Amino acid sequence: MARPLRVVRLGARPYQEVYALQQRLFDARKRGAMDDTILFVEHSPSVYTLGRRKEGVDDLLESEEALRARGVDVVKLNRGGRATWHGPGQLTFYPIVNFKELQQRATFRHSVSGLVHWWVRVLELTVLTFLWRQGLVGWTCDDVGVWLGGPAAAVRAETDRVRPPSPAVEGLRLPSPDLLPFDDARFAQVVGEAARGGVGGGEQRKVAAIGVQLSRYCSMHGVALNIRPDLDEYRGIVPCGLDAAVTSLAQELPAPPGDVMEYAPDIIAAFIDTLASQDAFDVVEVTGDAFLRAL
């Protein structure tokens, strides 16, 4: 039996409006009153959000009053992580799903114990797989999120979905080539270039931030992936509390990326491939206006 998965492209919408929608859907999913749903949105206008860790306030480089005076709101949330930015040019996707049910039917397993770690790893691997299919080699580390450049100096243990490390690429954690549209020779070439700093080489740069809020095995919030934002917007914060650069697809790809919402199908494909579920997914795409009218 196919598992329903509703995909909603909200387009450009204010953060607070979508946050209220998330909360409403999150409550419904916890009650079992709706199917798994993934929202895609390009937030507008710009906003800084702070996670529940108290250090997040320290990530603001200006006072909240000064930021609001120049039209940038600050929102405090009950998600993991610290400070991040949302705004035009960034594709944010919010899986409002029962991740325990997904895990029970998924063939993907995580070497790190715990259902929460599994779910966060699914989100990371979704972005890694998406990036690989765009021709970019991403990696992850103990600081949740997805990075380009490097390679990283310290990473978590390899998983069964990742190519075993070799001395030449120690520190990289990459998607398995078995899932991706490159043969072994191409994989070896790309990984070798990455290890030498030839693929998006140089300093480590964060391209996607991840933060979730969990209750009753359901999840809200999700992933913020930089497509073509104005990266100067990050100057108002220490992103995720880390002294590191941020980047975007526009900075990393030779050709300029398309419209932000155009990447939603690629993200969904990467998400489904990452889960490798025993169930087929019945993906139903809905426009934002139609979805909101039906609520």
Side-chain angles (χ1 to χ4, degrees):
M1 180 177 178
R3 182 184 182 89
L5 178 63
R6 185 167 45 183
V7 176
V8 183
R9 297 196 211 185
L10 292 169
R13 292 183 187 269
Y15 187 87
Q16 293 281 30
E17 174 188 326
V18 178
Y19 180 46
L21 175 62
Q22 277 195 83
Q23 291 176 306
R24 181 177 176 182
L25 299 179
F26 188 48
D27 289 341
R29 189 66 190 95
K30 287 189 291 183
R31 297 194 310 271
M34 61 168 257
D35 295 324
D36 289 338
T37 299
I38 301 182
L39 306 177
F40 286 88
V41 62
E42 180 181 12
H43 287 299
S44 181
S46 292
V47 62
Y48 293 131
T49 65
L50 306 178
R52 58 179 171 263
R53 292 175 59 179
K54 63 181 181 180
E55 301 95 334
V57 177
D58 298 332
D59 297 337
L60 295 175
L61 299 180
E62 301 178 54
S63 69
E64 294 184 40
E65 293 74 16
L67 289 169
R68 290 191 175 105
R70 59 184 183 87
V72 181
D73 201 6
V74 178
V75 181
K76 297 177 182 178
L77 304 168
N78 191 31
R79 61 157 171 78
R82 293 174 61 169
T84 193
W85 168 85
H86 297 294
Q90 181 187 78
L91 179 61
T92 305
F93 56 99
Y94 299 120
I96 302 174
V97 302
N98 185 309
F99 58 91
K100 184 177 183 179
E101 292 180 3
L102 291 176
Q103 193 268 351
Q104 289 171 339
R105 300 298 293 168
T107 57
F108 162 53
R109 292 292 182 265
H110 196 305
S111 61
V112 176
S113 62
L115 188 57
V116 172
H117 288 96
W118 176 86
W119 174 236
V120 172
R121 187 63 179 142
V122 165
L123 296 178
E124 289 181 330
L125 277 168
T126 295
V127 178
L128 287 172
T129 302
F130 166 80
L131 291 172
W132 181 266
R133 290 169 175 171
Q134 301 297 317
L136 295 170
V137 177
W139 51 267
T140 61
C141 62
D142 287 338
D143 294 311
V144 175
V146 178
W147 304 75
L148 297 171
V155 297
R156 290 197 297 253
E158 302 297 324
T159 74
D160 57 347
R161 294 277 290 197
V162 178
R163 194 74 152 190
S166 70
V169 295
E170 184 177 359
L172 286 174
R173 184 169 60 195
L174 303 166
S176 167
D178 298 334
L179 299 174
L180 304 170
F182 294 123
D183 58 24
D184 284 354
R186 174 58 180 151
F187 180 85
Q189 175 188 349
V190 171
V191 170
E193 290 171 352
R196 296 190 297 272
V199 174
E203 66 179 346
Q204 302 170 6
R205 303 177 299 282
K206 196 164 191 177
V207 70
I210 296 174
V212 295
Q213 178 181 337
L214 310 174
S215 176
R216 301 182 199 171
Y217 301 112
C218 292
S219 179
M220 65 177 284
H221 297 295
V223 181
L225 175 64
N226 288 337
I227 304 296
R228 52 176 190 185
D230 179 358
L231 295 179
D232 285 344
E233 297 282 2
Y234 282 94
R235 292 182 178 178
I237 58 171
V238 180
C240 304
L242 303 172
D243 184 16
V246 290
T247 190
S248 65
L249 264 63
Q251 292 288 313
E252 304 291 337
L253 294 174
D259 180 75
V260 168
M261 284 293 141
E262 291 178 3
Y263 292 95
D266 297 329
I267 294 291
I268 291 297
F271 178 72
I272 291 173
D273 289 346
T274 295
L275 289 172
S277 178
Q278 299 172 54
D279 300 321
F281 283 90
D282 180 14
V283 178
V284 178
E285 294 200 32
V286 186
T287 64
D289 289 341
F291 177 72
L292 294 173
R293 284 196 301 268
L295 288 178

PDB file of all heavy atoms in Angstrom, residues 48 62 136 152 169 178 258 261 289:
ATOM      1  N   TYR A  48      15.477  36.649  11.526  1.00  0.00           N
ATOM      2  CA  TYR A  48      16.416  35.816  12.268  1.00  0.00           C
ATOM      3  C   TYR A  48      15.616  34.985  13.264  1.00  0.00           C
ATOM      4  O   TYR A  48      14.706  35.498  13.926  1.00  0.00           O
ATOM      5  CB  TYR A  48      17.439  36.664  13.033  1.00  0.00           C
ATOM      6  CG  TYR A  48      18.389  37.437  12.151  1.00  0.00           C
ATOM      7  CD1 TYR A  48      18.621  38.790  12.369  1.00  0.00           C
ATOM      8  CD2 TYR A  48      19.065  36.811  11.110  1.00  0.00           C
ATOM      9  CE1 TYR A  48      19.505  39.506  11.573  1.00  0.00           C
ATOM     10  CE2 TYR A  48      19.947  37.519  10.308  1.00  0.00           C
ATOM     11  CZ  TYR A  48      20.164  38.860  10.543  1.00  0.00           C
ATOM     12  OH  TYR A  48      21.033  39.565   9.742  1.00  0.00           O
ATOM     13  N   GLU A  62      23.708  42.402  16.731  1.00  0.00           N
ATOM     14  CA  GLU A  62      23.059  43.664  17.045  1.00  0.00           C
ATOM     15  C   GLU A  62      21.934  43.374  18.024  1.00  0.00           C
ATOM     16  O   GLU A  62      21.479  42.231  18.136  1.00  0.00           O
ATOM     17  CB  GLU A  62      22.473  44.328  15.791  1.00  0.00           C
ATOM     18  CG  GLU A  62      23.476  44.635  14.701  1.00  0.00           C
ATOM     19  CD  GLU A  62      22.804  45.250  13.486  1.00  0.00           C
ATOM     20  OE1 GLU A  62      22.099  46.261  13.659  1.00  0.00           O
ATOM     21  OE2 GLU A  62      22.962  44.719  12.383  1.00  0.00           O
ATOM     22  N   LEU A 136      27.759  18.753  -6.547  1.00  0.00           N
ATOM     23  CA  LEU A 136      28.505  19.276  -5.410  1.00  0.00           C
ATOM     24  C   LEU A 136      28.703  18.189  -4.356  1.00  0.00           C
ATOM     25  O   LEU A 136      27.801  17.398  -4.101  1.00  0.00           O
ATOM     26  CB  LEU A 136      27.761  20.454  -4.768  1.00  0.00           C
ATOM     27  CG  LEU A 136      27.603  21.704  -5.632  1.00  0.00           C
ATOM     28  CD1 LEU A 136      26.654  22.693  -4.968  1.00  0.00           C
ATOM     29  CD2 LEU A 136      28.958  22.357  -5.887  1.00  0.00           C
ATOM     30  N   ALA A 152      36.393  18.314   6.119  1.00  0.00           N
ATOM     31  CA  ALA A 152      36.273  18.523   7.557  1.00  0.00           C
ATOM     32  C   ALA A 152      37.389  17.825   8.304  1.00  0.00           C
ATOM     33  O   ALA A 152      37.883  16.797   7.892  1.00  0.00           O
ATOM     34  CB  ALA A 152      34.928  17.998   8.042  1.00  0.00           C
ATOM     35  N   VAL A 169      40.723  10.531   1.681  1.00  0.00           N
ATOM     36  CA  VAL A 169      39.526  11.338   1.888  1.00  0.00           C
ATOM     37  C   VAL A 169      39.087  11.309   3.341  1.00  0.00           C
ATOM     38  O   VAL A 169      37.930  11.546   3.657  1.00  0.00           O
ATOM     39  CB  VAL A 169      38.360  10.869   0.981  1.00  0.00           C
ATOM     40  CG1 VAL A 169      38.704  11.082  -0.465  1.00  0.00           C
ATOM     41  CG2 VAL A 169      38.007   9.414   1.254  1.00  0.00           C
ATOM     42  N   ASP A 178      26.031   4.287  -4.735  1.00  0.00           N
ATOM     43  CA  ASP A 178      25.023   3.342  -5.206  1.00  0.00           C
ATOM     44  C   ASP A 178      23.674   4.019  -5.431  1.00  0.00           C
ATOM     45  O   ASP A 178      22.853   3.541  -6.206  1.00  0.00           O
ATOM     46  CB  ASP A 178      24.846   2.219  -4.177  1.00  0.00           C
ATOM     47  CG  ASP A 178      26.131   1.424  -3.974  1.00  0.00           C
ATOM     48  OD1 ASP A 178      26.952   1.399  -4.903  1.00  0.00           O
ATOM     49  OD2 ASP A 178      26.311   0.859  -2.883  1.00  0.00           O
ATOM     50  N   GLY A 258      18.187  28.253 -10.703  1.00  0.00           N
ATOM     51  CA  GLY A 258      16.884  28.752 -11.128  1.00  0.00           C
ATOM     52  C   GLY A 258      16.072  29.261  -9.966  1.00  0.00           C
ATOM     53  O   GLY A 258      16.588  29.556  -8.879  1.00  0.00           O
ATOM     54  N   MET A 261      11.791  27.686  -5.803  1.00  0.00           N
ATOM     55  CA  MET A 261      10.790  26.631  -5.696  1.00  0.00           C
ATOM     56  C   MET A 261      10.984  25.513  -6.723  1.00  0.00           C
ATOM     57  O   MET A 261      10.452  24.412  -6.553  1.00  0.00           O
ATOM     58  CB  MET A 261       9.385  27.221  -5.840  1.00  0.00           C
ATOM     59  CG  MET A 261       8.900  27.959  -4.614  1.00  0.00           C
ATOM     60  SD  MET A 261       8.651  26.854  -3.209  1.00  0.00           S
ATOM     61  CE  MET A 261       9.255  27.874  -1.881  1.00  0.00           C
ATOM     62  N   ASP A 289      -1.864  28.124  -2.187  1.00  0.00           N
ATOM     63  CA  ASP A 289      -3.198  28.726  -2.077  1.00  0.00           C
ATOM     64  C   ASP A 289      -4.284  27.662  -1.957  1.00  0.00           C
ATOM     65  O   ASP A 289      -5.211  27.782  -1.143  1.00  0.00           O
ATOM     66  CB  ASP A 289      -3.471  29.620  -3.285  1.00  0.00           C
ATOM     67  CG  ASP A 289      -2.632  30.888  -3.261  1.00  0.00           C
ATOM     68  OD1 ASP A 289      -2.134  31.251  -2.165  1.00  0.00           O
ATOM     69  OD2 ASP A 289      -2.474  31.519  -4.322  1.00  0.00           O
TER      70      ASP A 289
END
